[in-house]
Every structure is written in structure tokens, then in C-alpha cells.
Amino acid sequence: MKNALSCEANGFHLSGMVTEPATQSEPETGHRVAISFDRCKITSVTCGCGNRDIFYCAHVVALSLYRIRKPEQVKLRLPISETLFQMNRDQLQKLVQYLITAHHTEVLPTAQKLADEILSSNSEINQVHGAPDPTAGASIDDDNCWHLDEEQVREQVKQFLSQGGYYGSGKQLNSMFAKVREMLRMRDSNGARMLTLITEQFMADPRLSLWRQQGTGMTDKCRQLWDELGALWVCVVLNPHCKSEEKNAWLRQLKKWADMDVCPLEDGNYGSELPNITNALPQSNLAQDSLARPRRTVFTRAMEACDLHWQDSHLQRIISSDFYVSPAYQREGESLLFNPQGLPLWLDHVPTACARVDALRSHGYPREALRLAVAIINTLRLQQQRQLDIYKHQKKDLLQRGMTSTTNLEGWVGHPLDPIGCLFATLTETCRVEDDNAMDTGDSGEPKPPVYQHVPVWGCTDGGESYLALALEVALMGMGQQRLMPEGLYAQEKVCRNEEQIVAKLQELALDELLVQTLRKQALLLLEGGPFSGLGEVIHRESVPMHTFAKYLFTALLPHDADLSYKIGLRAMRLPVLESTAPSGDVGHPHHGISIVPGRYPRWFTLGHLESQQCELASTMLTAAKGDMLRLRTVLEAIQKNIHSSSLIFKLAQDAFKIATPADSPPDITLLNVALELGLQVMRMTLSTLNWRRREMVRWLVTCATEVGLRALVSILQSWYTLFTPTEATSIVAATVMSHNTILRLSLDYPQREELASCARTLALQCAMKDPQNCALSALTLCEKDHIAFETAYQIVIDAAATGMTYSQLFTIARYMEHRGYPLRAFKLATLAMAHLNLAYNQDTHPAINDVLWACALSHSLGKNELAAIIPLVVKSVHCATVLSDILRRCTMTAPGLAGIPGRRNSGKLMSTDKAPLRQLLDATISAYINTTHSRLTHISPRHYGEFIEFLSKARETFLLAQDGHIQFAQFIDNLKQIYKGKKKLMMLVRERFG
């Protein structure tokens, strides 16, 4: 707590000592504070604490409050000049000398200088009558304004900008903007001064030139700050009571900023061509090139607003009276100023009219702002009605052509001046219920939403109008306005953001009977609407989609008028920009001329977001329609017709499935069927395109079909070729359908199980025929329990083996056959596989080696005849000496025919390497060793000598299996010594080991 210990007022000067009590870490400290004031405003402050901020420090506030709350404890004195006037010469001398003595170090040099000047007859000080008095007030003609530390404002803005939107600096700058608005509302002239200081720092931001050089856009947060800056300047120059010289000074300043190269443009990228603020009609013809468009900066609208004035007598009457109505006898032209009920209209360009409302509200004229807002809404209502009447006459023709023009050259949602947000805020402000606990936050830590009540419109003749209902009505009109998608990423993102902001505000309104009535009435008007409505029967191809808005309308209307809410939701599902055949219509608007080429997609940067909003709307309708077959069917048709993204349809299918199968109650079969139908659509859409989620989608579809029941599973098995690839159909679909879990889940009886199994086997055989390489093994597995189907699958494999299958696929199926108890069939497949294989001399780590060893072991176990049949194939396919010697060794270890094939007799004798079939294998192995040795010696390096000697040792073991093997090996070594005698060191090692 801060305490003002001593305080006294000398004329218009307040001074005192403020102490801060001691804390655990800090002793008690005192700060000397001085405040000057003039006509109820603090005009300057100083404090010994040294804290610098754009707001007054706590000590200045404490002293001010002490003076306000305890005036009787403040000594009041006359200005010091009055006191001095009452003193004689001796008293004055005494005062000066005592003053110098008390502060001789600080005051003495100044006192001596002043004394010299006073004693000099021609000094400047003697040319002026009287002397200054800091405790006396200013002259009545002098400007008086609140104290503002300009240097501190500059410093803070510069610091926040340098942080680039991090560390909450964006919030800090927004609070400075809010401070400017607060100053304007208090009619404090510092508001414009502070905004000028802020703008200077924004224009000096070094990132501006960097962004311009690199051609990159500024960050989104930064763009929003610039937008608010531009809007604030519009507000400042539209001050209804500002002098023309002030306005001219601002215009010069704005023009100076706008002419700078680095000044940001209004649309965030290249030259915008939105209409002039004071004239909504396009100024150019269709042929005009975009380069010829005027450069519009963030200050252009404020500069245009400098041309606006408040002198119009009709406008003055609107804002100054609640009871201004049309006179009984109207003069010529006056009928345009009032609606048929006699209420005043304001026929201005809508965003400009709303900027006036914002200016009145911001400059502390809330009642006047409300009056103008009501006149604008009455104008919009009349325009809406007239456009509807015109459309009704043209409707037949427009519907036949299937196209429309748009009457709105400028969208109000996402507009730089935020006209709809401005009207909504002005109207709801007066309806807000002041809550003492408004600052409290709920459980989530978020501030509590505002509470509103109906306030009747002042001066309204029928008494049925409420400001709250008007706020809702104007928000619905603005959101439902048909408008073309603006160009450029930033402008498009701004449309989305502004829509979401308005919907969030609408969701704060508790809908009572009057608001529901307003909602219903406006929804019907928008549905019937022609070119002015984004929910009309026919819209322009590049119209901003209504999904976000329609989702709000659907949810809000559903409890009160389900038919109307579904009409709105279904109408809004369209996204014509994605329909390649969609008519482009007539825009009558320069920059959209380029988009009229049929089949050309304009550059919609936010398309992903818009499609997800479309999906959200569909999901909301599906959820609401649960259990209602007819409604579900219409929503499903709308989804199938309008949504073009497989991943979004898959998301909808998953959503529907989740809602249809709650954990604690039986499934909703109507919604389950919709989920399945959407899933089937996704399968068809992604069958021939690559999609990384495809496996997940296939698995999900089988799960969904299982929940629907037996008939759904039979159906997907029978029509597999329109939904799945052969691999998916066998390895995922049929395998899952035939699993034990599926049978249990469906509680099937024997005939049902058989029906499902029969479908799965038929699918398996069809897939094996279509893609034997990838489906043969799955087909055999699925057909195991049916002899005829299994034989058919086996025959398909045999037929495909010669051309369509690899050795590894055939080996895999052969091993499967052995595992199933078909060794002879396994042998047959192994021989077919061997025919496709080729193992070179140096491929001693080839993945097929295990398969070759297995195939030889299988042949050996079957008997001499099978071994005799496979060895020629091995000799032809395998040229790797170590693999051949391994096979040879295994074949000589045990007698052949140990598998015990019924009806066969086995001799039980080991086989000789001197006789067929092993003689052929031995010769091939020795030959492979000789060839491999020569191959290795052509490129051998000394570090491989040791390894090579070991290789020759293994070769000797194989040579010795032959009757004359030792002679063959000796000749082989002599041969090497002769051919490779140049490799002296290696040959020495050969001699050492082998003689």
C-alpha cells in the first residue's frame, strides 16, 4: 500500500512525498512527486521513482487519489507569484537567501546567472514584463491536454515490434490500440497524438523493407495489427467535431506515410481493387489491366474518409433525434430518404456508413451511433426486399440458365472496416447486462460470456423492435450476403477468420422467442433470395461458401424449426468452385473477369479449410438426423453430390459410425447404413489412386460392415472388384471376414457361416486368377477347408508358375504346401521355383540360399528319384561353390527317402558320390570351386590372402570326395602356381599349406 505522507497544493501545482512501506526484502522508500493540472486535466508529472511507462506510475496515482479523497488534509496555497506580491523588499531578500542556503549546490549557479541578467539593462529577461510562475494556471486560450510521455510511447512500441509478435507483444500492442480508443471515447486529444506516435514506429519497423525486398508477406499477427491501425485512423479522421485544419494535417500525414515504398497494402499482397470508400461503383471497365489499378495502402481508407463530412441535414436529423420520421407532405427526392413506414434511411456505401457508426461510438456518442445504426439496418432491409422483388420477376430465366450475377461488389464479412462487427457491437453494447462478477472466470479459466437483455428501440412506433434482435438480424444479413471470394491469401484468410468471430458472437446470444422469430424470418429471406443471398437457389461459381454460417443456423434453428434448418443445411452444402462444369455467371466486376474461363480453378488458398467446414456441416446434420431414415438419406445424397475429397468422406463415415455405435446402448442401424455407404464411396474413390490411409480405410470398412451384419459382409465380398485390389480383398477383407472374432461377433449359425465361407472362397479364387503373384497363398489359405476350391487354387498356382510368379513366391507356397502335409506338391512347386533362380559364383549370402537348401532337403527326404530330379536343376541354377558343397555334404550324411511316403520302400543306404545323381553334383561343385578360384585371383589384394587359403582348404575337402580327388587337387594347385607365379607372396602361402 502506498501512503502520501505530506501533500500541498500551490495554485495549479500539487507536490508531495509518497512512501512505500518496507517489505521483507526492501526497506521503506520515499518518492517526491510533482503534478501540474489545468482545467481538470493532469498536464505534467514528475516522480523520483524513475519508472518509465506510458501510464502514470503508482506514486503519481497515489498522490492524485489522496488529493481527491482527502482534500481537507491538503494545504491549499495561492500561486507563488501571489504570495511574493504580498512581501516587502526585506522579506523577498530574506526568502531568496534562505532558498539559496537550503539548496546552495543546485540553486547558487542559477541564482547568480539570473542576478547578472536582471542587473543588465538590455538583457532578454528585462525585455519581458513579469516573470513565470509554475504554480499558476495556463491562459484560457492555451491548449490544455492530458500529460502523455511521448518518448515512452515510442520506446514501448519499438520494443514490442522488435519482439515480432512473440512474448505476448501482440497483446501489448492491441492494449495500446484499446487505450487510443478509450482516449477517443473520453474526447481526449491525446488519442490522435498517441496513434501518430504508434504509427511512426510501425512505419519505422525495419522488417517492412526486408519483407518488401524478399517479396514475402508479413506474419498474420502483424497484418492484423496493421489492419487495426488503419481502422483506427478512419475512426480518428471521422471525428464528428474535428476542425478542418486538424483533418487537413492528418491527411497530409497519412499521405506522407502512404507514399512510402514500405507502406503495407490493404489486401496484404498486390494492389487491391475494392471500390473507393465514398463510391461503391466500379470506376473502370472490364478491359482495365490490374497494373493500372491505384495502389491501395492500409491508410487509403482513412485518406478517403477525410473527404466525408457530417453537415448533411438528413444525417444530422437522424443522429440527433429518436423521433425523426418522414414529413406528411414530402418534397421531391425526399421519398428516397425514408422507408414506406416513414423511418429514415441512410443510403451510403454500407462499410462507409458503418465507419461513421464506429466513429460516433468511438468518440463518445453512443446514442447517436445507435440512431445511425438503426437507419442503416432499415436501409438494408428495404434493399433486401427490393432485390427479392426484382429476383422474383427474373427467377424463371435465371434458374433455366443455372447462373446468377452477384449484386454485391464488396463483401462485408472480412472487409477492412468490419462493418458487420461494428453494427453488432454498437447494438449489443446497449443490451448488455452489467454483471458485478463479469471479471470472474468460469471453471475453464475463460471469461464468462456476456449476458444480454432486450432493450426497445427508442422512438420505435410499434414497440416491437429490440436492439438485440436488430443485432442478430444484421449479423445474419451480413453473413448471408452473397460475395465473391477476394483475391490473395491474406484477404481469403481474413474472410474465414471474420466469419468465425461473428459466429462466436452469435453463439453468446441466448435465443428467446423474439430472437428465434428474427432468425426464422431472415433464414427464409436468405433461402428465397436471389443474387444478394449466398443461400439463394443459384449462386456464382466463385461465391464465398456458406458452410460455417449454415452450421450455426442449422444448430440454432433445429430445436424450433427442423424443416427449415435442414433446408438451410442442405442448400449450403454446395461448393461450386470445385464443380468443373459449374456456370461462371456474370460478375460485372473487373478482376473476376479472369476466372470466367470454364473448368479453370481460381486461386483459392483457403480451399482446404473451406472443405473441412463443409465436412463439419455435413457431420452436424448426420448427427442430428440419427434415427430418421428420410433425413439421413437426403443428407447422404448431399454429401455424395457435393464433397469431393475422399479423406473428408472417410472422416464423415467414421463420425457416423461412432455416433451410431454408442458404448452403452444398441447401435442405430439407420446411421450405421449411412456410415457403410459413405465407406463404400471412399473405397470406390480411392481404388485406383494412391492414398497413404488406404489400408486403414479397408480395415475400417470391414469393421463397419461387420457391425451392419451378415448381408453387408456378403455384399462387399461379392462386389469386391469395384471396391478393393485383389491383394486387399484376400489379405485384409476375406481374411478378416473369416476370422474367429468375426464369426463370434455376428453369432452366426452353421448355414450362415457356410454362406460367408463360400463367398470368401469364390473371392479368393477370383483374386488368385487376377493376381496370382500376390494372392495365390492367401487363396490357398482361404480354401483349405474345401477340397474342390483348394485343388482349383493349387491348379491356378501351377498354371501361373511358368510366367507370372517369382521363385520366392513359389518357394513360399511350396513351404506352405509341405507344412499342410502335401510334400509331393511342395516338391513340384520347388522344382518350378528352381527353374526361375540363378545364383552366381559370388552370391554366397543370397536370400534364396535357405530355400535351395530346404528344397534339396525336401527332395532327399522324399527319395532317390526326387533327388535325381532336382539335382540337374540345382546344377543349372546354382554356381556358388560353397552352397553346392553344403548341399553335397547334407545329401551324404543320411539315407534318402526318410519322409516315409506311403507305398514306397527305402533301402536305408547312404548315397555314393561316385554314382548318379550325386556324381553330377560333385563334378559341378569341383568345377564351381575352380571357376571361383580363378575369378577371385584376378582382383585379389594382400589383405584377403588368408581368407583365400581357407577357401582353398574347403575346396580340397570337396575334391577329396571324388575317387581321384587328391590327384585332381594336386594338379589344380600346380596349375595355380604356374599361372599366378607373379603373386610370389600368395604362392608361397599356397606352397606352405598345400605343398
Side-chain angles (χ1 to χ4, degrees):
M1 180 64 205
K2 297 169 180 70
N3 301 305
L5 278 188
S6 59
C7 175
E8 64 177 26
N10 283 71
F12 294 87
H13 188 81
L14 183 70
S15 57
M17 176 68 85
V18 177
T19 60
E20 288 203 55
T23 62
Q24 287 178 331
S25 56
E26 297 284 331
E28 183 181 278
T29 51
H31 302 289
R32 190 167 290 285
V33 181
I35 300 173
S36 297
F37 50 91
D38 177 20
R39 284 164 277 180
C40 302
K41 291 175 186 165
I42 293 174
T43 53
S44 74
V45 299
T46 53
C47 178
C49 72
N51 287 347
R52 300 290 304 276
D53 198 350
I54 62 167
F55 305 116
Y56 301 146
C57 69
H59 315 108
V60 169
V61 174
L63 186 66
S64 306
L65 290 175
Y66 188 84
R67 167 67 184 83
I68 293 164
R69 290 175 182 169
K70 300 185 178 177
E72 72 287 346
Q73 293 189 23
V74 178
K75 290 178 194 163
L76 289 180
R77 302 178 185 278
L78 292 169
I80 195 72
S81 52
E82 295 289 330
T83 309
L84 295 174
F85 186 68
Q86 293 168 15
M87 293 183 185
N88 61 29
R89 193 201 169 287
D90 290 346
Q91 288 171 318
L92 285 169
Q93 182 156 2
K94 202 170 203 176
L95 172 71
V96 172
Q97 285 181 240
Y98 267 96
L99 182 63
I100 291 169
T101 305
H103 302 285
H104 65 275
T105 51
E106 303 109 76
V107 174
L108 188 57
T110 309
Q112 191 62 63
K113 180 172 166 284
L114 289 172
D116 291 346
E117 285 189 20
I118 287 168
L119 290 172
S120 167
S121 59
N122 57 352
S123 67
E124 197 178 326
I125 207 167
N126 283 324
Q127 309 301 314
V128 180
H129 290 291
D133 179 359
T135 64
S139 157
I140 193 74
D141 300 325
D142 289 354
D143 271 349
N144 71 324
C145 56
W146 288 88
H147 171 69
L148 179 71
D149 188 338
E150 297 193 0
E151 192 48 46
Q152 198 52 31
V153 172
R154 287 192 193 97
E155 277 305 308
Q156 287 213 344
V157 177
K158 192 174 179 179
Q159 185 193 339
F160 294 145
L161 284 172
S162 70
Q163 290 167 2
Y166 304 106
Y167 319 111
S169 61
K171 271 187 182 169
Q172 299 283 359
L173 287 165
N174 273 318
S175 75
M176 290 182 90
F177 289 148
K179 186 74 188 165
V180 171
R181 283 194 180 272
E182 188 188 325
M183 288 169 159
L184 297 179
R185 195 163 54 251
M186 304 300 291
R187 302 180 199 169
D188 176 356
S189 58
N190 276 339
R193 265 172 78 210
M194 184 158 159
L195 187 59
T196 304
L197 297 171
I198 293 172
T199 310
E200 282 169 355
Q201 291 310 308
F202 265 69
M203 289 301 295
D205 187 345
R207 292 175 300 168
L208 290 179
S209 53
L210 196 69
W211 285 325
R212 189 167 177 271
Q213 283 162 11
Q214 294 171 346
T216 52
M218 61 175 74
T219 61
D220 212 35
K221 275 182 182 165
C222 204
R223 267 277 9 156
Q224 289 174 46
L225 291 169
W226 274 101
D227 280 356
E228 176 61 8
L229 193 69
L232 266 174
W233 272 112
V234 172
C235 220
V236 166
V237 302
L238 274 178
N239 178 352
H241 291 294
C242 86
K243 299 173 186 137
S244 59
E245 53 268 28
E246 260 184 312
K247 200 181 269 193
N248 290 337
W250 288 331
L251 180 58
R252 283 195 299 277
Q253 182 62 71
L254 289 165
K255 194 169 181 333
K256 191 171 124 194
W257 288 326
D259 287 343
M260 289 167 75
D261 286 344
V262 293
C263 187
L265 301 179
E266 183 175 71
D267 62 0
N269 34 48
Y270 41 84
S272 166
E273 67 85 48
L274 291 171
N276 180 295
I277 190 167
T278 53
N279 185 354
L281 297 171
Q283 302 292 304
S284 52
N285 59 26
L286 273 169
Q288 183 195 26
D289 186 355
S290 62
L291 294 173
R293 292 181 213 141
R295 179 171 173 269
R296 293 185 64 83
T297 73
V298 287
F299 301 117
T300 302
R301 287 183 185 269
M303 286 154 63
E304 290 167 355
C306 289
D307 294 338
L308 300 172
H309 61 80
W310 295 86
Q311 274 72 56
D312 183 277
S313 59
H314 181 58
L315 176 61
Q316 284 297 324
R317 289 191 190 105
I318 290 172
I319 64 177
S320 58
S321 168
D322 293 324
F323 303 101
Y324 176 43
V325 290
S326 64
Y329 301 102
Q330 290 183 354
R331 292 192 293 276
E332 192 180 341
E334 278 192 342
S335 59
L336 295 173
L337 304 180
F338 302 91
N339 69 6
Q341 292 75 44
L343 296 172
L345 305 174
W346 182 242
L347 296 165
D348 206 344
H349 167 229
V350 174
T352 310
C354 296
R356 287 183 184 275
V357 173
D358 190 32
L360 287 168
R361 184 167 155 254
S362 300
H363 287 284
Y365 302 99
R367 190 85 177 238
E368 288 81 350
L370 270 175
R371 289 169 185 151
L372 184 54
V374 173
I376 293 167
I377 292 168
N378 283 329
T379 311
L380 291 177
R381 282 172 170 172
L382 189 64
Q383 285 172 350
Q384 193 180 43
Q385 194 55 54
R386 282 183 183 163
Q387 285 179 334
L388 188 59
D389 294 341
I390 295 165
Y391 170 64
K392 280 176 180 169
H393 289 110
Q394 302 170 342
K395 188 173 179 177
K396 195 177 175 188
D397 176 45
L398 283 172
L399 292 180
Q400 272 176 348
R401 285 190 291 156
M403 61 188 280
T404 180
S405 59
T406 172
T407 56
N408 306 308
L409 300 183
E410 204 173 11
W412 301 331
V413 173
H415 189 282
L417 297 174
D418 187 18
I420 301 301
C422 159
L423 289 179
F424 188 84
T426 305
L427 293 159
T428 51
E429 207 167 45
T430 196
C431 305
R432 200 163 173 158
V433 178
E434 287 307 322
D435 182 3
D436 295 339
N437 304 323
M439 296 306 286
D440 293 356
T441 54
D443 298 337
S444 64
E446 291 289 310
K448 286 183 183 172
V451 179
Y452 298 108
Q453 64 187 5
H454 285 289
V455 175
V457 173
W458 295 313
C460 182
T461 47
D462 61 2
E465 292 273 45
S466 126
Y467 287 113
L468 198 58
L470 287 184
L472 174 61
E473 187 177 350
V474 81
L476 300 176
M477 277 185 188
M479 290 283 281
Q481 177 208 31
Q482 186 184 183
R483 52 199 181 271
L484 295 177
M485 183 63 81
E487 282 186 4
L489 170 65
Y490 178 69
Q492 291 175 13
E493 282 180 341
K494 199 169 171 185
V495 168
C496 299
R497 191 166 47 243
N498 199 195
E499 274 183 352
E500 282 161 11
Q501 287 164 347
I502 294 170
V503 166
K505 295 275 181 217
L506 290 174
Q507 284 168 338
E508 289 175 350
L509 303 180
L511 296 177
D512 58 15
E513 200 178 327
L514 180 57
L515 294 184
V516 170
Q517 205 178 316
T518 307
L519 199 64
R520 188 186 272 123
K521 182 182 160 194
Q522 194 54 232
L524 284 166
L525 278 170
L526 289 169
L527 277 177
E528 291 168 18
F532 71 85
S533 169
L535 290 167
E537 280 176 83
V538 184
I539 53 167
H540 189 277
R541 182 183 171 216
E542 289 180 46
S543 214
V544 172
M546 293 279 129
H547 309 128
T548 307
F549 178 43
K551 186 183 156 196
Y552 164 75
L553 283 178
F554 178 85
T555 312
L557 279 167
L558 193 63
H560 312 286
D561 190 337
D563 285 347
L564 181 57
S565 63
Y566 276 99
K567 265 184 201 162
I568 292 268
L570 292 166
R571 175 72 60 82
M573 272 296 290
R574 62 202 168 183
L575 189 50
V577 77
L578 290 183
E579 312 291 345
S580 54
T581 56
S584 55
D586 158 46
V587 196
H589 202 23
H591 81 286
H592 292 283
I594 55 165
S595 299
I596 292 176
V597 183
R600 177 195 167 279
Y601 285 170
R603 297 189 72 194
W604 281 31
F605 299 94
T606 51
L607 197 55
H609 171 78
L610 296 171
E611 285 188 284
S612 68
Q613 289 300 303
Q614 182 188 32
C615 179
E616 286 285 311
L617 171 61
S619 184
T620 305
M621 289 198 287
L622 278 178
T623 308
K626 181 179 173 181
D628 187 330
M629 198 59 231
L630 201 61
R631 291 221 197 275
L632 277 174
R633 184 54 48 194
T634 52
V635 176
L636 178 64
E637 283 166 9
I639 291 167
Q640 289 171 331
K641 181 183 172 189
N642 293 299
I643 297 185
H644 304 280
S645 155
S646 57
S647 56
L648 289 175
I649 296 177
F650 182 50
K651 182 186 179 300
L652 281 172
Q654 289 175 304
D655 288 352
F657 182 78
K658 254 186 218 146
I659 299 155
T661 52
D664 50 357
S665 54
D668 180 274
I669 199 68
T670 54
L671 196 50
L672 256 182
N673 275 313
V674 167
L676 179 65
E677 209 160 323
L678 289 170
L680 293 171
Q681 187 182 346
V682 172
M683 290 298 106
R684 288 189 285 268
M685 287 171 85
T686 55
L687 179 58
S688 55
T689 57
L690 287 171
N691 190 306
W692 62 276
R693 295 184 69 189
R694 175 78 189 173
R695 276 184 78 81
E696 179 198 351
M697 290 167 169
V698 173
R699 287 182 191 283
W700 179 88
L701 185 84
V702 178
T703 307
C704 182
T706 307
E707 282 297 319
V708 174
L710 176 66
R711 299 268 52 89
L713 286 176
V714 168
S715 172
I716 65 169
L717 290 174
Q718 287 176 343
S719 58
W720 70 268
Y721 47 87
T722 64
L723 304 168
F724 316 109
T725 63
T727 316
E728 290 167 347
T730 51
S731 64
I732 305 177
V733 182
T736 311
V737 169
M738 294 309 297
S739 70
H740 184 60
N741 284 349
T742 306
I743 307 296
L744 280 180
R745 180 87 188 86
L746 290 170
S747 315
L748 301 179
D749 57 22
Y750 182 74
Q752 289 173 323
R753 280 207 297 273
E754 271 311 294
E755 181 187 8
L756 205 54
S758 171
C759 287
R761 288 193 291 268
T762 306
L763 172 148
L765 294 174
Q766 289 169 344
C767 293
M769 286 289 284
K770 198 171 171 70
D771 183 4
Q773 283 194 327
N774 296 308
C775 301
L777 184 57
S778 298
L780 286 162
T781 311
L782 287 162
C783 295
E784 278 171 3
K785 291 181 180 166
D786 185 284
H787 178 69
I788 297 170
F790 189 78
E791 290 301 315
T792 310
Y794 174 68
Q795 197 53 51
I796 290 168
V797 176
I798 298 296
D799 293 346
T803 52
M805 299 187 77
T806 65
Y807 62 81
S808 65
Q809 288 165 336
L810 288 166
F811 275 132
T812 306
I813 296 169
R815 286 192 168 201
Y816 160 80
M817 280 294 182
E818 187 202 24
H819 180 67
R820 297 294 306 156
Y822 296 104
L824 289 168
R825 288 184 174 183
F827 168 74
K828 167 87 172 159
L829 288 163
T831 59
L832 291 169
M834 286 301 297
H836 291 286
L837 182 67
N838 184 23
L839 266 181
Y841 78 91
N842 56 353
Q843 289 183 295
D844 50 0
T845 56
H846 194 282
I849 291 171
N850 281 334
D851 289 322
V852 173
L853 294 174
W854 167 83
C856 293
L858 172 71
S859 310
H860 185 262
S861 72
L862 289 173
K864 196 171 178 180
N865 294 345
E866 282 77 13
L867 191 61
I870 206 160
I871 279 174
L873 296 171
V874 171
V875 168
K876 188 180 174 189
S877 301
V878 180
H879 308 289
C880 182
T882 50
V883 176
L884 289 168
S885 65
D886 199 0
I887 295 168
L888 188 62
R889 186 178 55 80
R890 289 171 189 230
C891 288
T892 55
M893 282 169 66
T894 55
L898 295 180
I901 300 294
R904 286 197 187 182
R905 289 177 62 234
N906 290 320
S907 66
K909 288 183 185 173
L910 293 174
M911 292 176 76
S912 165
T913 53
D914 289 340
K915 296 177 184 170
L918 292 189
R919 177 76 213 198
Q920 189 186 356
L921 181 60
L922 177 60
D923 289 348
T925 310
I926 288 171
S927 177
Y929 268 117
I930 292 168
N931 291 338
T932 305
T933 301
H934 288 298
S935 293
R936 289 181 74 165
L937 281 170
T938 50
H939 300 294
I940 197 163
S941 67
R943 62 196 176 102
H944 292 126
Y945 288 176
E947 194 186 312
F948 177 73
I949 298 298
E950 292 308 314
F951 174 75
L952 285 181
S953 300
K954 279 188 181 169
R956 181 167 60 180
E957 287 170 19
T958 303
F959 271 80
L960 294 178
L961 290 172
Q963 270 192 340
D964 56 346
H966 61 289
I967 299 167
Q968 279 191 55
F969 186 70
Q971 284 173 346
F972 172 51
I973 292 295
D974 287 345
N975 209 0
L976 291 182
K977 286 187 232 170
Q978 190 60 37
I979 297 170
Y980 301 103
K981 58 187 173 192
K983 298 183 186 289
K984 290 179 182 171
K985 190 178 178 190
L986 178 60
M987 290 306 120
M988 189 181 77
L989 291 170
V990 168
R991 268 196 295 276
E992 275 177 16
R993 176 71 71 95
F994 305 109

